[in-house]
Amino acid sequence: MKKDFFDDYFDDDEEFEEEEPPRKPKTFTKGFIAALSVCLVAIGAAVWTTVSSVSSYLDPPITIREGSDTSFDIPTESSDTDGDRRVNATVSGVKADSDSEADKPVVFNCEPLKNKKIISDYSEDPVYNETLGDYRAHTGIDYEAEVDDKVRAMGQGVVKDIYYDDLLGNVVVIEHSKTVESYYCGLAKTALVQAGEVVSAGDFVGTVYAIPGEAAQTAHVHVAVKENGKWVNPKKFMKANREN
């Protein structure tokens, strides 16, 4: 009897299963909240900086110095068709001649070698060449010199070319205008200028060495001038002769 009583009494075991105690709601300490606030502020600052940097990159501010020229020149294509125009170059702060300056008369105000006498003058008539053993025009002026003497540019211009010639030796060509060029012949292999360089009257262009086609003569430099592609007397452009 006792067994049946207890069996009936405890039929529903679920009524006596232990229930879990209720969990306490999570709370955040003041320190955690403060740290979270700092992180949010830092993230906000980083986002603002990024947005500001991107805006500055896409639309950079323009700063104009006080007193500066705010006008801008827009380059245009050259209308020249003869191919004779060259880009102005600057060497050691010296600017090449502009088109307006190039139209000015060419004047040589410096001798290629100072205080040196002329041993062979310009001549259109044939003269005897001791080295070649024939008669031919002498298209330049020969200045007496010593080997390694420095040769000067007679006038301002741009070094147009540097080359070797079988008769004239090493040659430096200076363009003084669109029509006038000077030639310095018989120089050493190592020139003192480079092609494209701007030179002024009196600048050194090379040193005296040898002239194969005039080897029978004493050491000298052969200076010649072309005007409109033809050899002319260099004295035509020398300042002393133009003033007389």
Side-chain angles (χ1 to χ4, degrees):
M1 293 292 294
K2 181 180 288 187
K3 182 177 179 180
D4 294 337
F5 170 78
F6 283 100
D7 289 340
D8 295 335
Y9 190 80
F10 293 102
D11 280 341
D12 192 0
D13 292 338
E14 295 180 359
E15 294 181 7
F16 293 90
E17 289 180 358
E18 292 186 5
E19 298 180 1
E20 293 183 2
R23 296 181 181 179
K24 295 181 178 181
K26 293 183 179 180
T27 58
F28 299 97
T29 63
K30 294 182 178 180
F32 176 81
I33 295 175
L36 181 60
S37 299
V38 171
C39 291
L40 292 175
V41 171
I43 293 172
V47 172
W48 182 88
T49 301
T50 302
V51 173
S52 178
S53 299
V54 172
S55 299
S56 298
Y57 178 79
L58 296 177
D59 187 18
I62 298 175
T63 302
I64 300 176
R65 296 182 180 178
E66 183 177 356
S68 62
D69 185 7
T70 57
S71 61
F72 299 90
D73 294 329
I74 301 176
T76 57
E77 294 183 359
S78 174
S79 59
D80 289 348
T81 57
D82 58 2
D84 193 40
R85 183 184 295 275
R86 63 176 180 270
V87 178
N88 288 342
T90 302
V91 177
S92 302
V94 180
K95 187 176 181 181
D97 291 342
S98 63
D99 289 341
S100 60
E101 292 174 338
D103 294 335
K104 294 180 180 179
V106 174
V107 178
F108 297 152
N109 51 19
C110 182
E111 294 182 346
L113 290 165
K114 289 187 175 182
N115 303 320
K116 299 292 184 177
K117 68 178 182 179
I118 295 175
I119 58 176
S120 294
D121 214 334
Y122 173 86
S123 176
E124 294 180 358
D125 297 327
V127 294
Y128 184 70
N129 185 303
E130 296 180 16
T131 304
L132 302 177
D134 62 9
Y135 287 85
R136 60 182 61 202
H138 191 254
T139 57
I141 298 176
D142 294 342
Y143 287 84
E144 184 182 39
E146 299 291 337
V147 175
D148 293 335
D149 279 352
K150 291 184 177 180
V151 180
R152 301 172 184 270
M154 295 184 291
Q156 182 179 356
V158 178
V159 179
K160 181 179 180 180
D161 198 6
I162 300 174
Y163 64 93
Y164 179 81
D165 183 88
D166 290 338
L167 294 179
L168 299 174
N170 294 302
V171 181
V172 171
V173 183
I174 298 177
E175 185 180 50
H176 302 280
S177 71
K178 292 182 179 180
T179 59
V180 179
E181 300 171 348
S182 60
Y183 292 69
Y184 305 80
C185 312
L187 305 180
K189 185 176 181 180
T190 302
L192 301 181
V193 290
Q194 296 180 349
E197 182 174 342
V198 178
V199 295
S200 299
D203 288 349
F204 295 121
V205 298
T207 56
V208 176
Y209 183 63
I211 300 177
E214 298 177 352
Q217 295 177 241
T218 58
H220 65 281
V221 63
H222 178 96
V223 178
V225 174
K226 273 187 178 181
E227 183 179 24
N228 293 317
K230 296 182 179 180
W231 298 113
V232 296
N233 193 337
K235 290 182 179 179
K236 174 181 178 180
F237 303 97
M238 293 180 177
K239 184 176 180 181
N241 291 281
R242 294 177 68 92
E243 291 177 347
N244 292 335

